[in-house]
Amino acid sequence: MTTQLEIFKGALEHRHSHYGLRPEWVAPRQTVEELLGGVLQTVPSAFNSQPVRMVLLTGDAHASHWKLVENALISLMGQEAYEANTAPKIRQAFASGIATVLFFDVPSVTEGLQASFPTYAANFPIWAQQVQGSHQHAVWMGLDMLGFGASLQHYIGMVDADIKALAGVDASWVLTAQMPFGAPVAEVAGKEKLPVSETLIVK
Ligand SMILES: Cc1cc2nc3c(=O)[nH]c(=O)nc-3n(C[C@H](O)[C@H](O)[C@H](O)COP(=O)(O)O)c2cc1C
């Protein structure tokens, strides 16, 4: 009989970074929306402060987002270097998916906590980042379990204002990551990990 632990570990082991995506909803868009809502409603945050916001970009919005990133990279690197180094990834692994989840931090949440609980003022920005990671992993796991391939990207600090305008979010929010997803082109093998004997101590 498969134990709960085996099911849980199996799910963790199956999630990988997918760099080959096709534009297909392998599960309905509505189900993905439910996944994102479920993650936002359940993942813990410091003092239950909930500083994370997500935007699901689909269709033209998804395409426009990756066009913004592409144009920014071309401006930075030049067309030739872009075509040689980065274009294949942007086109085959990110834009080629069906949608992208944008993750945002709401700084006013952290500022409010710092004002209310000055003793922990230095911790709140750190905890806000940790909460981003918790949400990103949960979404990544959920997308994988629905049959999507996804990866975690950080094309940040180039055209954030344009991305926020496209996403229709408050200019004060901070973009923390992009998660493009779609139908996986291939199975992805697990990467080598440090032995547990080095990373886990039990006393
Ligand atoms: C905090 C964090 C930042 C990452 N940033 C990127 C990134 O910017 N681009 C990218 O392609 N992968 C990024 N990754 C993916 C990791 O490289 C990848 O998860 C790791 O090598 C393990 O491989 P796997 O996802 O296939 O299991 C990031 C992962 C984490 C947790």
Side-chain angles (χ1 to χ4, degrees):
M1 206 182 80
T2 314
T3 65
Q4 290 291 95
L5 178 60
E6 283 166 344
I7 293 169
F8 183 60
K9 279 179 67 186
L12 287 172
E13 283 161 9
H14 193 263
R15 180 222 52 82
H16 290 300
S17 299
H18 281 263
Y19 297 109
L21 299 178
R22 285 184 289 105
E24 195 184 308
W25 290 101
V26 299
R29 175 181 149 165
Q30 178 68 30
T31 307
V32 173
E33 290 177 30
E34 282 176 34
L35 164 69
L36 301 184
V39 168
L40 286 161
Q41 292 271 291
T42 56
V43 170
S45 56
F47 288 57
N48 197 30
S49 54
Q50 302 166 66
V52 179
R53 303 290 181 271
M54 296 178 201
V55 176
L56 176 62
L57 299 177
T58 65
D60 288 347
H62 162 76
S64 300
H65 167 271
W66 288 107
K67 203 74 202 155
L68 283 173
V69 171
E70 180 168 64
N71 289 340
L73 290 170
I74 291 169
S75 298
L76 272 175
M77 308 168 72
Q79 186 82 41
E80 205 174 316
Y82 173 74
E83 290 296 336
N85 302 317
T86 314
K89 261 206 311 198
I90 298 280
R91 292 182 190 144
Q92 289 153 37
F94 313 147
S96 63
I98 192 68
T100 299
V101 184
L102 301 180
F103 293 86
F104 292 94
D105 172 62
V106 180
S108 59
V109 173
T110 293
E111 288 154 15
L113 286 168
Q114 288 175 316
S116 302
F117 306 99
T119 319
Y120 298 111
N123 296 88
F124 287 122
I126 298 165
W127 289 337
Q129 289 307 308
Q130 292 173 351
V131 175
Q132 288 288 325
S134 306
H135 282 71
Q136 290 159 16
H137 189 232
V139 169
W140 203 346
M141 288 291 302
L143 289 171
D144 184 80
M145 292 178 84
L146 291 173
F148 292 101
S151 72
L152 186 61
Q153 300 305 320
H154 298 92
Y155 292 96
I156 292 171
M158 300 183 304
V159 278
D160 294 13
D162 293 335
I163 293 174
K164 285 188 263 187
L166 173 73
V169 304
D170 196 290
S172 70
W173 293 11
V174 176
L175 178 66
T176 65
Q178 295 115 332
M179 188 170 286
F181 65 93
V185 165
E187 280 291 310
V188 174
K191 290 178 186 156
E192 196 177 329
K193 298 288 173 180
L194 295 172
V196 175
S197 58
E198 273 184 35
T199 55
L200 173 67
I201 295 169
V202 180
K203 292 284 190 194

